[in-house]
């Protein structure tokens, strides 16, 4: 892992939670980008309340600062020496399963300084899946959006279809997984584990009682009913305009009993929700895991026809309803004898593409792969397997 060094030093107290310990301990400090740079606690120990969008910038474990990858330059300028990690939210999707009045979507009380209330935002659209609120924000690490009291169910993520747990990260003592709880927890346990293809636990599972975890800070929320469409604003007493505690825990692969002997058997990471879970996100280090995004399709909302198409198969729009039959696209290309050829450029030639935008695609003739531009920090990456956005 890369170490970035700055002149000023910043030493913080340790964190960790373990399967065989009686209690879990939160990171001493977590950092966010609310109001540019948010520190979860000041030196007096008082909580600092985040009232607007707040993406996780990093945290401290065992006296070591870890950047989340959201803005390492800003993070390093504030904390000094740090480990340059890159965490991303698991690509969560889940079933609704409840119309309970405490099943809620939470968003920050203010968005870009604008109050989110009955007047300014009376409802949230159901065209946005509930899973989106567990993977939105920068790198999906938004601490200020969440789903509260998610019905008990398993969230499963394919992490090792082609043995893509990095064995070099099993014993490197760097956190590999981050989990969150941003509401009032019950004493019911959330369970985290790796499983094999048949659903058997690989290594050991981690049972977490979040009510025993000391909060790291607080956030101010606006709440919307998750079980109804549209998701209407919750104006009830004790909900919108009130704060909730923020809890963050990290795990290493070795905490789950993942070893060089069994890591290739671990094909899924599973989060078993307690039924009272209030999740902002669960995240993984991209240095440690390569994730395969096998999500359920979003089927809600209005189906839109594709209006423009190019075909070599002699289709007539009126007779074949083409390209309208290809739903949800801007442009449909179709042929049974011709191939689509994107722009071809060498790796060195990528530097000649000025002002690239996220999602731009080219074929890299040096590395022989289709490349996608991710962002200014990551740059161009080969799109050669089904991995996470």
């Amino acid at each position: 892992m890369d170490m970035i060094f700055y002149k000023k030093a910043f030493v913080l107290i340790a964190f960790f939670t373990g399967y065989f310990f009686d209690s879990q301990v939160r990171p001493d400090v977590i950092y966010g980008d609310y109001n540019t740079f948010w520190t979860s606690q000041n030196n007096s120990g008082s909580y600092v309340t985040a009232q607007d969008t707040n993406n996780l910038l990093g945290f401290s474990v065992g006296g070591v600062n870890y950047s989340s990858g959201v803005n390492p330059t800003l993070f390093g300028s504030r904390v000094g020496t740090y480990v340059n990690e890159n965490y991303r939210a698991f690509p969560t999707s889940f079933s609704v399963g409840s119309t309970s009045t405490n099943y809620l979507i939470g968003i920050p009380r203010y968005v870009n300084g604008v109050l989110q209330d009955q007047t300014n935002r009376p409802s949230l659209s159901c065209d946005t899946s509930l899973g989106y609120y567990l993977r939105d924000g920068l790198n999906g690490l938004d601490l200020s959006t969440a789903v509260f009291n998610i019905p008990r169910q398993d969230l499963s993520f394919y992490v090792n279809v082609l043995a893509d747990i990095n064995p070099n990260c099993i014993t490197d003592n760097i956190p590999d997984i981050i989990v969150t709880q941003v509401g009032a927890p019950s004493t019911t346990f959330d369970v985290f584990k790796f499983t094999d293809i048949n659903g058997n636990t690989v290594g050991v599972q981690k049972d977490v009682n979040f009510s025993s975890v000391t909060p790291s800070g607080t956030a101010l929320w606006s709440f919307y009913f998750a079980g109804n469409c549209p998701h209407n604003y919750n104006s009830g007493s004790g909900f919108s305009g009130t704060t909730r505690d923020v809890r963050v825990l990290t795990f290493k692969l070795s905490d789950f009993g993942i070893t060089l002997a069994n890591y290739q058997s671990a094909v899924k990471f599973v989060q078993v929700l307690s039924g009272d879970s209030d999740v902002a996100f669960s995240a993984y280090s991209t240095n440690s895991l390569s994730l395969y995004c096998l999500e359920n399709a979003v089927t809600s909302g209005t189906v839109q026809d594709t209006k423009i198409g190019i075909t070599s198969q002699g289709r007539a729009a009126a007779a074949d309803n083409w390209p309208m039959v290809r739903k949800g696209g801007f442009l449909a290309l179709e042929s049974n004898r011709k191939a689509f050829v994107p722009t071809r450029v060498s790796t060195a030639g990528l530097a000649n593409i000025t002002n690239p935008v996220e999602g731009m695609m080219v074929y890299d003739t040096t590395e022989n792969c289709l490349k996608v531009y991710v962002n200014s920090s990551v740059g161009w990456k080969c799109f050669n397997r089904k991995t996470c956005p």
Side-chain angles (χ1 to χ4, degrees):
M1 305 299 176
D2 296 332
M3 290 290 291
I4 310 297
F5 295 94
Y6 287 79
K7 289 185 178 179
K8 63 178 186 175
F10 202 93
V11 181
L12 299 171
I13 301 173
F15 145 82
F16 203 67
T17 178
Y19 183 78
F20 299 107
F21 290 89
D22 293 331
S23 63
Q24 292 88 28
V25 180
R26 58 164 175 75
D28 187 68
V29 181
I30 58 175
Y31 303 94
D33 63 3
Y34 164 66
N35 201 23
T36 305
F37 191 80
W38 174 78
T39 303
S40 61
Q41 285 191 317
N42 62 26
N43 291 332
S44 70
S46 299
Y47 292 146
V48 179
T49 301
Q51 302 183 45
D52 208 310
T53 300
N54 191 26
N55 297 286
L56 181 70
L57 290 176
F59 53 90
S60 174
V61 172
V64 179
N65 297 314
Y66 296 91
S67 168
S68 69
V70 166
N71 191 336
T73 301
L74 172 62
F75 184 69
S77 70
R78 297 300 186 100
V79 305
T81 303
Y82 69 95
V83 177
N84 191 24
E85 281 292 300
N86 186 45
Y87 295 95
R88 285 188 175 271
F90 284 108
T92 306
S93 61
F94 55 90
S95 59
V96 176
S98 174
T99 56
S100 172
T101 55
N102 69 346
Y103 182 32
L104 300 166
I105 300 168
I107 66 172
R109 187 59 172 166
Y110 296 86
V111 175
N112 296 323
V114 178
L115 178 66
Q116 305 300 292
D117 62 2
Q118 183 69 54
T119 300
N120 294 325
R121 183 171 286 190
S123 65
L124 302 176
S125 172
C126 290
D127 289 343
T128 300
S129 69
L130 293 177
Y132 168 81
Y133 297 100
L134 275 61
R135 60 177 189 266
D136 59 340
L138 301 178
N139 287 7
L141 306 181
D142 191 349
L143 288 164
S144 60
T145 61
V147 181
F148 291 74
N149 299 303
I150 304 172
R152 182 178 175 85
Q153 58 193 280
D154 292 3
L155 303 181
S156 298
F157 315 104
Y158 285 88
V159 300
N160 197 8
V161 176
L162 298 174
D164 284 320
I165 290 179
N166 183 348
N168 295 321
C169 296
I170 294 175
T171 58
D172 64 1
N173 206 37
I174 292 176
D176 301 297
I177 290 173
I178 305 170
V179 299
T180 60
Q181 165 69 26
V182 294
S186 70
T187 57
T188 307
F189 286 79
D190 284 51
V191 177
F192 304 89
K193 60 185 177 180
F194 285 90
T195 70
D196 63 17
I197 193 64
N198 297 314
N200 301 309
T201 299
V202 177
V204 295
Q205 72 180 34
K206 308 294 290 185
D207 300 336
V208 177
N209 179 357
F210 277 106
S211 67
S212 67
V213 177
T214 303
S216 293
T218 58
L220 187 66
W221 297 89
S222 289
F223 290 106
Y224 296 79
F225 295 107
N228 302 317
C229 283
H231 305 303
N232 291 321
Y233 180 78
N234 185 342
S235 59
S237 176
F239 289 96
S240 295
T242 62
T243 61
R244 298 292 187 276
D245 291 330
V246 175
R247 292 171 171 84
V248 176
L249 297 176
T250 72
F251 299 97
K252 304 187 297 292
L253 289 170
S254 57
D255 295 318
F256 294 98
I258 300 300
T259 67
L260 293 175
N262 66 14
Y263 81 95
Q264 291 181 312
S265 299
V267 300
K268 287 183 183 180
F269 180 72
V270 180
Q271 178 176 356
V272 183
L273 301 175
S274 67
D276 300 305
S277 304
D278 310 311
V279 183
F281 60 79
S282 297
Y284 66 99
S285 167
T286 61
N287 295 323
S288 306
L289 307 174
S290 292
L291 213 71
Y292 292 78
C293 299
L294 306 177
E295 299 186 69
N296 297 327
V298 176
T299 58
S300 60
T302 303
V303 178
Q304 301 290 336
D305 291 342
T306 300
K307 301 294 186 182
I308 303 171
I310 301 172
T311 180
S312 66
Q313 295 186 233
R315 292 182 182 271
D320 298 308
N321 193 32
W322 194 92
M324 292 77 75
V325 70
R326 306 299 183 205
K327 303 297 184 182
F330 179 79
L331 172 68
L333 303 176
E334 180 183 70
S335 178
N336 58 6
R337 60 184 183 274
K338 296 182 182 292
F340 171 68
V341 182
T343 300
R344 297 165 58 85
V345 63
S346 66
T347 300
L350 291 172
N352 297 324
I353 300 176
T354 59
N355 300 319
V357 297
E358 294 182 8
M360 186 177 285
M361 301 175 69
V362 298
Y363 185 83
D364 188 319
T365 57
T366 304
E367 297 192 36
N368 295 319
C369 69
L370 186 67
K371 277 193 170 179
V372 178
Y373 183 77
V374 180
N375 55 45
S376 59
S377 298
V378 177
W380 296 89
K381 289 294 183 182
C382 287
F383 187 71
N384 53 12
R385 60 176 177 246
K386 191 175 179 67
T387 190
C388 291

